[in-house]
Amino acid sequence: MNDERDYGALDAFLRETGRDGYLLHASADLADQYYLSGFDAPDPFATLYAPDRTAILVSGLEYGRATNEARADVVRRYADYDYHALAADHGREEASRRVLAAFLDEFAATDVATNERFPLGVADALRERDVTVTADRDDHVGGVRAVKTEAEVEHVRDAQRANEAAMAAAEDLLAEADVVDGVLLYRDDPLTAERVKEEIEVTLLRHGCALDETIVACGADAAEPHNRGRGPLRVNEPIVIDIFPREKDSKYHADMTRTFVKGEPTEAAREFYDVTERAFDAAFDALEPGVTGATVHAAACEVYENAGYPTLRSDPDAETGFIHSTGHGVGLDVHEAPRLSEGADETLEPGHVVTIEPGLYDPAVGGVRIEDIAVVTEDGYEDLTDYRVEFVVE
């Protein structure tokens, strides 16, 4: 399986700006760090990427594992730069600063680029030692990450299969719930957002995935796109379920949303759903290599605007209607490049993994959102989602 990553744009950026390398100082929770180093560590470590080599600097605790696991040409440890003697003379913080400076000096890196989340204290310490540290405001590493290899697409696909199992578990709870006096009961207890979230999380764990939060929002809560939802789920009201897990082994995410009603949706909610499904289809019809994210977003907006609903394109101050972008990239971060939104002038390329997720929102009706995840291909796209789009749960 092809996992050859193309760092050409990053290499060109370093050459054109005269930088000696791209420096990161963070734990593997920072996606750029994990991507460039290939090393998963919970504590901060340094990665110096240059076109001819990648070097990492880790503690002695992580040295053996880094040597075996990191995707780096060179692995150094603090002890290689007399850290313990420096700590005895100057204290641990100062010793760490001197070690990092010595690490950069070994690889003749006196002028480095960083991403915008680089620690200010570390940057200041390096500048005091005559190392030029400049923020990469155009996020070149993010641009490289956006174009997925075949192996990365498979990681997303695997996470999405787990996602679908979790969505099915959530839908099954709704299907099995009884309607008693207008209330949803599951095994004689009120069916709550919390109970559905628990089922989602347990299912994901069984499939090798985890997530920090998910969305199970009903009625007026669902009219706020990022409201996580709470309390009893109600009959005849839209329930937005948005799941965005991360596969534990690969660290790649998936993302999917479905909206369900248990009972009979109102006429307004049914209209919300039907128009959103048309916007969803229109956005997919526009998705192909060579177009911009703004073009895909415009296709969804056209459907809503023609149906008489406000969008942020037609009214930037709108608080109801289609009040978010059509989609975003997914990978090591659940939200990354490219964007599918107003003003998104990035050209879509084969290997871009993106969501398509139009929605309509109004507290008087509730919220409706439909979301699949797809990869742009040479001749169009492949929808990585295998889950039906159905509003009413029987």
Side-chain angles (χ1 to χ4, degrees):
M1 188 181 302
N2 178 22
D3 195 26
E4 288 297 321
R5 301 177 180 187
D6 184 359
Y7 296 95
L10 179 58
D11 294 347
F13 162 69
L14 294 174
R15 287 195 305 270
E16 291 165 6
T17 57
R19 311 291 179 210
D20 299 317
Y22 204 101
L23 179 66
L24 297 173
H25 190 280
S27 73
D29 289 340
L30 181 73
D32 285 358
Q33 176 69 296
Y34 183 70
Y35 188 87
L36 288 184
S37 69
F39 185 53
D40 184 10
D43 296 319
F45 62 98
T47 296
L48 177 65
Y49 172 86
D52 60 338
R53 73 166 71 88
T54 298
I56 67 172
L57 172 67
V58 298
S59 68
L61 178 69
E62 300 288 9
Y63 180 70
R65 199 165 61 86
T67 300
N68 293 325
E69 298 176 10
R71 193 174 50 250
D73 303 293
V74 180
V75 179
R76 293 285 186 263
R77 55 187 164 182
Y78 276 44
D80 294 331
Y81 305 99
D82 296 323
Y83 169 76
H84 296 293
L86 290 170
D89 291 339
H90 305 285
R92 295 174 60 186
E93 289 298 323
E94 176 64 17
S96 295
R97 297 186 186 104
R98 294 190 181 206
V99 164
L100 180 56
F103 169 73
L104 295 179
D105 185 62
E106 179 183 352
F107 299 102
T110 60
D111 189 335
V112 295
T114 71
N115 72 6
E116 290 194 304
R117 295 174 63 183
F118 194 84
L120 177 60
V122 177
D124 284 347
L126 290 175
R127 288 167 179 148
E128 289 170 3
R129 290 162 174 81
D130 297 323
V131 177
T132 300
V133 182
T134 306
D136 170 21
R137 300 188 184 280
D138 293 322
D139 189 20
H140 286 85
V141 177
V144 171
R145 283 174 40 210
V147 180
K148 308 298 189 290
T149 66
E150 292 177 12
E152 289 177 291
V153 172
E154 284 304 308
H155 293 325
V156 174
R157 194 191 306 274
D158 290 343
Q160 180 57 24
R161 295 291 83 81
N163 202 357
E164 290 156 10
M167 186 68 76
E171 187 177 359
D172 286 346
L173 284 182
L174 293 174
E176 294 169 20
D178 297 313
V179 178
V180 179
D181 297 328
V183 177
L184 285 181
L185 298 180
Y186 182 76
R187 297 179 180 174
D188 299 325
D189 291 322
L191 182 60
T192 63
E194 290 80 3
R195 176 66 182 86
V196 175
K197 292 177 188 180
E198 176 186 288
E199 194 70 20
I200 289 169
E201 292 181 17
V202 168
T203 302
L204 288 172
L205 285 172
R206 289 172 178 161
H207 286 78
C209 288
L211 79 172
D212 294 326
E213 293 187 88
T214 192
I215 293 173
V216 179
C218 179
D221 284 349
E224 301 171 353
H226 282 170
N227 190 319
R228 298 306 197 238
R230 64 186 64 81
L233 302 176
R234 295 178 293 278
V235 178
N236 305 332
E237 295 189 17
I239 301 167
V240 172
I241 301 180
D242 187 348
I243 312 174
F244 32 96
R246 183 177 72 166
E247 190 184 43
K248 288 186 172 184
D249 285 344
S250 71
K251 295 184 174 291
Y252 281 79
H253 290 79
D255 202 356
M256 176 172 64
T257 305
R258 290 295 184 266
T259 304
F260 302 113
V261 165
K262 177 74 172 186
E264 290 295 327
T266 65
E267 183 177 341
R270 171 60 76 178
E271 170 70 8
F272 267 33
Y273 196 89
D274 290 345
V275 174
T276 294
E277 192 168 4
R278 295 202 303 272
F280 176 82
D281 291 339
F284 265 114
D285 287 344
L287 183 63
E288 62 181 356
V291 305
T292 66
T295 298
V296 178
H297 180 61
C301 289
E302 287 287 339
V303 173
Y304 286 127
E305 291 163 8
N306 289 340
Y309 294 100
T311 71
L312 291 181
R313 187 179 75 160
S314 64
D315 179 5
D317 297 322
E319 296 181 357
T320 62
F322 182 32
I323 53 175
H324 56 68
S325 67
T326 295
H328 55 84
V330 178
L332 289 172
D333 284 325
V334 74
H335 293 98
E336 59 181 49
R339 298 175 299 121
L340 308 183
S341 61
E342 187 74 11
D345 57 3
E346 306 101 322
T347 299
L348 298 179
E349 303 176 35
H352 278 158
V353 173
V354 297
T355 65
I356 298 291
E357 51 177 310
L360 275 179
Y361 309 89
D362 188 328
V365 179
V368 166
R369 184 164 66 255
I370 305 170
E371 177 186 23
D372 277 9
I373 188 170
V375 57
V376 178
T377 62
E378 295 287 348
D379 56 0
Y381 67 86
E382 177 190 356
D383 193 338
L384 302 178
T385 308
D386 184 15
Y387 201 94
R388 69 187 181 283
V389 176
E390 190 68 44
F391 193 26
V392 178
V393 176
E394 302 293 343

